[in-house]
Amino acid sequence: SYRIYIIMDREKLRSLFPRAPVDADGYVQSFLPAQEAEFKEFLTRYGFCVVKVVEDALCDRAVSDMFAFANSTPNPRRKCELEKDNPETWGDENWPGSGKFLFDDPGHMQSNYDIRTHKNIYKVFRAIFNGEKRLYTTIEAWGVMRGNQDVLIDGEYQQKPTWKWELEPHWDVDPWNHVHDLSIGKIPHMYQGLVALADCPEEVGGFCTVPGCTPYMEQWVKNHIPPKGWSRAAPLKQFHPPLSEPLLTRMQRIPIRKGEMVIWNNLQLHANFANQSASMRLVH
């Protein structure tokens, strides 16, 4: 079974996994697309970076498209149309998805394609991949976290605990196989990302990670035994460490502003923390 056989004290953990810098408003330090050297250095050190890539007008159009898509999707459960600023419409039955993510399928709206092919995003990833022009992306579903604290419904401020959710810390790769494949040059470093369609301060929930995780992963896989049944021939699609994993003590919440993209290496241990506000978190 999964086992840790190297134990680190708190000082060692703090030195290996330093906190990423934040500004006076609590948002993580961000960069402009032209600051290639700076955001690449940040990405190398912390395993993630935040870059302002999308203009506010496109973010607003994407939010409008999100709700238009939701309201136009056939849904026999729907009682009323969704409205972004009206919690009375946010009931489970009005969303097109069947689970906590609220959207089951990617939204094939023009704004989504405009974001995924945006010149700034292309510029940033081309820099990350050292000038490579042939870049590939995917179209994913929107990310929504409903406000659930003191939301105004039927003239009263209500708590909606069933609207609150979070994702446990995980890797979206098999850490042991991924590090091995990187070491033999079988694959390049790979990255994930999301764009904030509205300001995402800490209270609306969102992305969190362990700064410095990626550069430590070569040592991490040496210190940890893979789970029972693991084999290199059948890589895990995802791995959730146990709550005893020391890295979890260094998890940092990553608030980002509208139009900013957080980009993280696939070797970053990451999670989503819950919305604790009355407002929505909206990302793509």
Side-chain angles (χ1 to χ4, degrees):
S1 62
Y2 174 95
R3 179 164 61 90
I4 304 167
Y5 61 88
I6 298 292
I7 303 298
M8 291 182 284
D9 62 29
R10 291 182 180 179
E11 288 301 320
K12 182 67 171 178
L13 283 167
R14 280 196 287 266
S15 66
L16 286 171
F17 311 110
R19 285 290 185 256
V22 299
D23 64 23
D25 296 320
Y27 290 94
V28 169
Q29 180 181 354
S30 64
F31 303 90
L32 297 174
Q35 296 177 285
E36 292 184 7
E38 291 88 345
F39 69 68
K40 289 180 68 175
E41 179 182 359
F42 195 102
L43 180 62
T44 298
R45 180 179 184 187
Y46 295 106
F48 79 97
C49 65
V50 178
V51 187
K52 171 68 174 181
V53 290
V54 177
E55 60 274 17
D56 286 358
L58 178 51
C59 290
D60 293 340
R61 180 157 57 90
V63 172
S64 179
D65 283 351
M66 177 194 301
F67 284 90
F69 179 89
N71 289 326
S72 64
T73 300
N75 177 7
R77 302 174 297 121
R78 181 182 295 121
K79 293 182 179 180
C80 65
E81 289 196 347
L82 289 161
E83 298 176 21
K84 180 176 75 71
D85 298 314
N86 183 1
E88 293 188 5
T89 71
W90 296 354
D92 295 349
E93 67 280 357
N94 296 326
W95 295 90
S98 55
K100 62 186 177 183
F101 296 110
L102 305 178
F103 288 92
D104 289 335
D105 302 310
H108 293 289
M109 304 291 278
Q110 186 60 50
S111 59
N112 284 352
Y113 289 94
D114 291 345
I115 289 174
R116 289 302 173 111
T117 60
H118 198 287
K119 63 180 182 180
N120 286 338
I121 294 179
Y122 177 75
K123 177 181 176 67
V124 168
F125 277 100
R126 192 175 166 193
I128 290 172
F129 285 103
N130 299 314
E132 176 60 64
K133 296 180 180 180
R134 299 168 299 171
L135 302 179
Y136 299 87
T137 186
T138 58
I139 294 292
E140 306 290 342
W142 290 284
V144 177
M145 283 184 168
R146 287 171 288 184
N148 53 77
Q149 303 291 304
D150 297 320
V151 289
L152 186 60
I153 299 176
D154 296 330
E156 297 181 352
Y157 290 100
Q158 300 184 20
Q159 314 307 311
K160 289 289 187 178
T162 61
W163 291 1
K164 183 187 297 186
W165 63 272
E166 58 189 10
L167 290 180
E168 295 181 352
H170 64 281
W171 286 277
D172 288 316
V173 295
D174 179 326
W176 296 272
N177 263 310
H178 201 78
V179 169
H180 173 265
D181 290 347
L182 282 169
S183 70
I184 64 174
K186 183 178 179 179
I187 58 172
H189 279 282
M190 293 183 283
Y191 301 88
Q192 297 170 258
L194 61 86
V195 175
L197 301 179
D199 283 347
C200 294
E202 185 172 328
E203 58 264 26
V204 303
F207 181 76
C208 55
T209 190
V210 178
C213 182
T214 292
Y216 183 72
M217 286 306 293
E218 184 176 350
Q219 184 63 44
W220 187 92
V221 298
K222 295 177 181 178
N223 295 347
H224 295 73
I225 304 299
K228 185 178 181 179
W230 176 89
S231 76
R232 199 168 298 286
L236 303 170
K237 292 183 179 180
Q238 195 177 74
F239 181 70
H240 293 250
L243 295 179
S244 57
E245 169 56 56
L247 288 182
L248 298 183
T249 66
R250 300 304 295 165
M251 193 73 74
Q252 181 178 352
R253 296 177 175 185
I254 312 298
I256 59 175
R257 290 186 169 88
K258 181 178 182 178
E260 292 182 342
M261 185 176 202
V262 57
I263 300 164
W264 65 96
N265 192 295
N266 274 7
L267 286 176
Q268 281 296 114
L269 179 62
H270 64 282
N272 267 5
F273 61 97
N275 191 330
Q276 302 282 356
S277 76
S279 300
M280 276 194 183
R281 174 194 183 237
L282 302 171
V283 302
H284 174 65

